[in-house]
């Protein structure tokens, strides 16, 4: 037996890390543990989706006589229940809920944290057995404890995140998170029902070869982006190969691959959608926190650091460029040259 490789479960890891913060009271640890629990429940359901008839529209009745939920609604409910069940959450903002959710209990009113959530990202892939994910982000509330949280608690810059992470429901289920001290990845071992540390201290390559963008939108991108995409297709003098294009259409899956292999994910502005598609609070910010902790970059189309943006709306969208440092810097150079220095040709 290889005695050098000890199995470390997510819960053990969370406890080990808590000991590194002498004044920690265990609230964040409990919260993270509950995220792991909800992830397991959703993972089980995602794996059985084809069998459990949970994919279709709502309004049907299952064998237990319960209404069949769409998978994204199911995931939303499971996470909300698990989070409030942890007693450490004052409120939540999720992609599925137009307003913030708060609980009326004294426990919730006195809780220290709020959570932003995309319960099931990659919704177009749910029905077709392609990887999907959950994204979360945790903030310390700014409103006084003892009351329900306010929108102000959620309108904080990404730099204020206390923890962020994602779960990818892929060929394996993985949970990847950061509390600002590096990024660690855990793979679910279904035989023991535990997330086990499989990817300690993840660092993303400084340069990459993969670009991920919906090229179906090519003609509505700015000239800078078009030129960058064309540049990605040119042959590299050293390797003789162009970059590789990979786009799943599940942000979590595209991000996860690029994080490990090196690459860039882009969801740029278009003429029609000047703010792109992805949401600042529960898609861009948590992934920006992770990529920076792994050594990469995340910026908007003006080259502004995502984590510095002060949110103004709960469901605000932002154009996103995220991944390996050199690739993100390079696309920004194209935007500078083609769009900012020649604004008259910005879209033509
Ligand atoms: P969703 O949260 O409703 O699933 O939307 C976000 C998704 C991302 O996962 C993905 O990268 C992107 O939208 C795909 O959009 P498009 O189909 O326009 O390329
Ligand atoms: Mg999403």
């Amino acid at each position: 037996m290889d005695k050098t490789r000890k199995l470390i479960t997510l819960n053990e890891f969370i406890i080990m890390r808590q000991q590194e913060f002498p004044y920690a009271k265990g609230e964040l640890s409990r919260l993270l543990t509950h995220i792991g629990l909800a992830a397991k429940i959703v993972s089980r359901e995602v794996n059985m989706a084809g069998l459990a008839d949970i994919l279709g529209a709502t309004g049907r009745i299952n064998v237990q006589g319960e209404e069949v939920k769409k998978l994204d609604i199911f995931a939303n409910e499971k996470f909300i229940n698990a989070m409030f069940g942890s007693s450490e959450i004052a409120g939540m903002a999720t992609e599925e809920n137009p307003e913030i959710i708060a609980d009326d209990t004294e426990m919730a009113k006195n809780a220290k944290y709020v959570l932003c959530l995309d319960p099931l990202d990659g919704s177009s892939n749910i029905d077709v057995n392609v990887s999907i994910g959950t994204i979360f982000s945790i903030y310390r509330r700014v409103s006084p404890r003892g009351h329900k949280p306010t929108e102000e608690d959620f309108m904080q810059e990404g730099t204020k995140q206390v923890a962020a992470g994602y779960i990818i429901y892929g060929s394996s289920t993985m949970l990847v998170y950061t509390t600002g001290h590096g990024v660690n990845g855990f793979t679910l071992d279904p035989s023991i029902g535990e997330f086990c540390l499989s990817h300690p201290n993840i660092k993303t390559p400084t340069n990459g070869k993969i670009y991920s963008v919906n090229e179906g939108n090519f003609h509505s991108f700015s000239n800078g982006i078009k030129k960058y995409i064309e540049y990605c297709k040119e042959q590299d003098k050293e390797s003789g190969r162009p970059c590789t294009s990979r786009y799943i259409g599940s942000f979590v899956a595209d991000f996860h691959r690029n994080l490990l292999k090196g690459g860039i994910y882009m969801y740029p502005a278009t003429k029609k959608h000047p703010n792109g598609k992805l949401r600042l609070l529960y898609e861009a910010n948590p992934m920006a926190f992770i990529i920076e902790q792994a050594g990469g970059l995340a910026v908007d189309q003006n080259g502004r650091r995502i984590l510095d943006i002060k949110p103004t709306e709960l469901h605000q969208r932002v154009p996103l460029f995220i991944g390996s440092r050199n690739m993100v810097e390079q696309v920004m150079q194209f935007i500078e040259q083609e769009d900012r220095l020649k604004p008259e040709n910005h879209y033509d």
Side-chain angles (χ1 to χ4, degrees), residues 95 118 121-123 214 247 249-251 265 267 277-278 283:
E95 187 177 322
D118 183 351
D121 176 68
S123 36
N214 186 344
Y247 189 71
S250 278
F251 179 35
Y265 173 97
Y267 210 107
K277 178 177 184 190
L278 298 191
E283 291 176 323

